[in-house]
Amino acid sequence: MSVAGQRAMGIPVRQREVSLSVVTVAIVAAIGGGLFGYDTGVISGAILYIKREFPIDDTTEGLVVSAVTVGALAAAMFAGVLADRAGRRFTNIAAGLVFAAASLLCAVANSVPTLVAGRFLVGCGIGLTSVGGPMYIAEAAPPRVRGTLVSLFQLAVTIGILLAYVACAILAPAAAWRWMLGLAAIPGLLLAVGMLFMPESPRWLVRRGHRTDARAVLAQIDPHEDPDAALAQMERDLAAEGHGTWGELLQPALRPALLVGIGLAVFQQVTGINAVIYYAPQIFQAAGFTSDLTSLAATTGIGVINVLATFIAIGLVDRVGRRPLLIAGVLGMVAMLAVLGLAFHAGAAGTGASSLGVITAFCLAVYIVSFAFSLGPIVWLMIAEIYPLRNRAQAMAVSTASNWGANFLVSLSFPVMAGRLGSTATSFTYAAFGVLTLVFIIAKVPETKGRTLEEISKLWR
Ligand code: BGC
């Protein structure tokens, strides 16, 4: 029986029930997350064979690898403008088309500049989806399940990373780097075509004055709520807020929210996640897994754990809330980084070298689990939910760009740090950032569980 039917007959409707329509919306938008994960993960395998076909020096290699991050940073800023002017749905369609075209360009590249351009464009797709995906899902989702639905985006990121590890392992014997990079064109098209059939974000429609369309979307995606009441609430809040400008990001009123959004985005990276995700095989080799096969197997294990542990967040984020998960997760990350630092120290001193491999594998596994139920999904979720609609697109763009900027710095500096400072100091550095993250969360990050986006905006006033 339909939800409306249940209501009419006085049958209580379960609060956590969600319409198929809003789940479909979240799943289709999350394809962008899958591409984000796949395209950041695939290069570690592909680069080995690219180097054989085009003999390149270290700097050019760095360029091929990091062009994605630079593209993501640039496009995240642009995504803010696009999401406001052309709509949330269009931003996701554009992301899919850019992914498809850029992946094909990489697959047929016959020179290094073309390849770098292709990877930069892939990065643009990632920048568009990392702003447009979570924003679209958060704006369409009913508050009681918003955390779960936006976490699907992060789940897709982790699945994308895992698929990239698997694709590299399967295609490695044939040295088929063009396939590794080109395969992403298929989900890219799927995202663009799928989004054509999805509704526009009701909040963007209200903002543009399309109230009839907004009401229809609200009725479709959340049959538990009265669409007229939700619409009236959004209109009231928007009338009070008005339309924002980029310049307003500098104004004091927005500062507390921006501090939280940018802080979370940067802390997600400086606690070292991508040192593990991008360099896991090297870390395992440094810890004594000398054969390529065992270090690759251990890396795939990390990918699987990353996917599985994201389900903890999906299940708990709307029940226990954002803050407890963040605090528990970051505590776990700090503890594991500290133990890892001590283990590398003992290994370097010659004591316990034989158990170093086992301790490393254990610490990295628990570190990944802790990240996957906390900073991984919740940062993307909170960036999408903490800003007032008036400035949401611009503020999300700046926060997301900060995330990519920090990602760029960490992935560039990790090999240098590990080489010059050693594994012990590198682990302790990330642990120290973890302690700062913990203090920041406890002092600054509000609980947003169960509140409407409009109620969250009011928290800052
Ligand atoms: C982060 C990525 C990271 C991934 C790992 C995402 O939330 O933004 O930088 O590679 O999680 O699962």
Side-chain angles (χ1 to χ4, degrees):
M1 184 189 299
S2 75
V3 172
Q6 287 181 39
R7 266 227 183 85
M9 296 187 65
I11 301 171
V13 177
R14 278 189 28 225
Q15 269 305 291
R16 283 187 65 82
E17 261 173 29
V18 204
S19 72
L20 186 61
S21 157
V22 78
V23 175
T24 315
V25 157
I27 291 177
V28 172
I31 298 174
L35 284 157
F36 164 168
Y38 184 86
D39 277 312
T40 49
V42 77
I43 196 67
S44 61
I47 192 72
L48 303 173
Y49 308 99
I50 293 173
K51 280 201 292 194
R52 286 189 202 155
E53 189 160 334
F54 305 112
I56 47 179
D57 58 19
D58 287 354
T59 320
T60 318
E61 179 182 344
L63 213 62
V64 175
V65 174
S66 58
V68 157
T69 338
V70 180
L73 198 161
M77 295 301 288
F78 176 65
V81 181
L82 199 64
D84 255 358
R85 301 248 167 98
R88 309 339 192 189
R89 183 170 156 265
F90 183 83
T91 308
N92 286 289
I93 295 175
L97 292 177
V98 172
F99 271 124
S103 306
L104 290 179
L105 183 63
C106 289
V108 300
N110 50 14
S111 72
V112 174
T114 317
L115 190 58
V116 172
R119 291 292 292 166
F120 176 83
L121 279 179
V122 165
C124 292
I126 298 181
L128 291 176
T129 193
S130 53
V131 173
M135 185 192 304
Y136 174 69
I137 303 175
E139 288 191 348
R144 64 185 182 281
V145 287
R146 189 178 56 241
T148 298
L149 292 182
V150 182
S151 298
L152 291 180
F153 185 83
Q154 171 70 12
L155 179 69
V157 172
T158 61
I159 294 175
I161 294 173
L162 180 62
L163 287 180
Y165 289 161
V166 173
C168 287
I170 294 176
L171 296 167
W177 66 268
R178 292 179 186 278
W179 279 99
M180 295 178 192
L181 300 183
L183 274 177
I186 302 169
L189 272 183
L190 213 65
L191 172 62
V193 175
M195 282 302 299
L196 282 177
F197 296 95
M198 296 298 113
E200 181 50 272
S201 145
R203 286 168 167 93
W204 185 81
L205 287 170
V206 170
R207 199 178 149 160
R208 288 274 151 164
H210 304 304
R211 62 185 319 275
T212 320
D213 294 342
R215 189 193 176 284
V217 177
L218 283 168
Q220 179 191 345
I221 59 182
D222 193 4
H224 297 294
E225 295 300 331
D226 173 6
D228 293 309
L231 185 64
Q233 184 62 45
M234 280 178 203
E235 284 181 325
R236 261 198 308 281
D237 287 318
L238 195 68
E241 283 188 6
H243 289 261
T245 62
W246 283 88
E248 281 172 18
L249 295 189
L250 300 173
Q251 286 184 2
L254 212 59
R255 226 166 265 164
L258 264 182
L259 179 75
V260 170
I262 296 179
L264 283 174
V266 171
F267 282 127
Q268 188 202 48
Q269 295 297 321
V270 297
T271 36
I273 182 63
N274 288 317
V276 180
I277 296 289
Y278 300 168
Y279 296 98
Q282 279 103 306
I283 302 178
F284 281 120
Q285 285 186 349
F289 288 79
T290 39
S291 88
D292 278 1
L293 201 69
T294 45
S295 79
L296 280 180
T299 304
T300 310
I302 290 289
V304 172
I305 291 171
N306 194 18
V307 174
L308 294 181
T310 307
F311 283 98
I312 303 176
I314 292 178
L316 293 182
V317 71
D318 287 319
R319 293 169 199 237
V320 305
R322 286 54 164 159
R323 273 173 59 90
L325 285 180
L326 280 173
I327 293 170
V330 177
L331 265 177
M333 290 167 70
V334 171
M336 289 307 109
L337 287 167
V339 175
L340 200 59
L342 291 174
F344 273 120
H345 182 68
T351 45
S354 56
S355 48
L356 183 57
V358 179
I359 297 178
T360 304
F362 175 79
C363 288
L364 289 190
V366 180
Y367 169 89
I368 289 288
V369 169
S370 310
F371 174 88
F373 72 72
S374 63
L375 287 179
I378 297 178
V379 168
W380 293 111
L381 166 63
M382 292 200 79
I383 289 180
E385 63 182 12
I386 58 172
Y387 297 118
L389 180 57
R390 176 186 175 94
N391 303 98
R392 184 169 301 139
Q394 298 120 347
M396 268 193 83
V398 173
S399 315
T400 306
S402 316
N403 181 271
W404 285 104
N407 185 334
F408 177 69
L409 292 179
V410 172
S411 37
L412 211 65
S413 61
F414 172 73
V416 183
M417 274 171 70
R420 299 237 175 104
L421 304 177
S423 304
T424 306
T426 307
S427 307
F428 284 144
T429 307
Y430 296 141
F433 277 121
V435 173
L436 281 182
T437 310
L438 210 52
V439 174
F440 175 80
I441 292 166
I442 293 170
K444 298 280 175 209
V445 177
E447 183 53 77
T448 50
K449 176 187 79 166
R451 297 187 154 115
T452 66
L453 295 180
E454 290 68 31
E455 284 162 357
I456 298 172
S457 321
K458 288 189 189 128
L459 283 179
W460 307 107
R461 294 203 197 123

